[in-house]
Amino acid sequence: MALPESDVARVQRWCAARVPDNARDQVRIECELAQRHLTIVERRPPWHENLGPDWTTSAIARLRYNATDKSWTLYWTDQHQRFHLYDQLAPSRSIDDLLTEIDRDPTSIFWG
């Protein structure tokens, strides 16, 4: 089953709003889509010309969708880019609950 289109659009708008237009040449917050989850990532340009033109990508959070009960669960990523269940927030049918928790970041696990 595909992810709910309205939720995907909501996360994409949220990501776009995180960085002002005048800073997007330095950092971007984007959403990568998969069949059962969304991954919010931070992208940065190469800091040295020898690294080539590709931007680096670091995962911020993963939002996993459960089609059975139509809920979203939040995951955080460690320094090795492995995902772990974020146990400070129960699964929710509202994607906004997860985005609000990422914004609040009470444990400093998403934004540092």
Side-chain angles (χ1 to χ4, degrees):
M1 178 176 186
L3 300 173
E5 289 181 28
S6 61
D7 288 346
V8 171
R10 171 69 181 107
V11 173
Q12 289 171 329
R13 285 190 309 272
W14 181 88
C15 288
R18 296 283 307 170
V19 178
D21 289 338
N22 65 340
R24 291 200 178 142
D25 62 334
Q26 300 169 14
V27 64
R28 297 179 196 149
I29 302 299
E30 298 177 353
C31 175
E32 295 180 343
L33 304 175
Q35 187 175 9
R36 294 177 46 204
H37 64 261
L38 304 171
T39 303
I40 296 171
V41 298
E42 177 184 85
R43 299 198 198 279
R44 296 218 174 236
W47 56 272
H48 193 275
E49 62 188 39
N50 292 343
L51 297 176
D54 295 334
W55 286 46
T56 57
T57 301
S58 299
I60 303 294
R62 178 163 286 167
L63 293 69
R64 186 174 305 276
Y65 185 66
N66 181 332
T68 304
D69 64 2
K70 296 180 174 49
S71 69
W72 289 94
T73 304
L74 183 58
Y75 291 79
W76 62 277
T77 184
D78 65 21
Q79 64 187 9
H80 303 289
Q81 297 291 292
R82 288 183 292 221
F83 289 94
H84 306 275
L85 177 65
Y86 180 77
D87 61 4
Q88 304 293 309
L89 182 71
S92 176
R93 295 186 82 167
S94 171
I95 195 89
D96 284 321
D97 291 343
L98 280 67
L99 297 176
T100 298
E101 188 69 8
I102 296 168
D103 268 336
R104 280 184 352 104
D105 196 13
T107 61
S108 299
I109 206 162
F110 300 109
W111 303 110

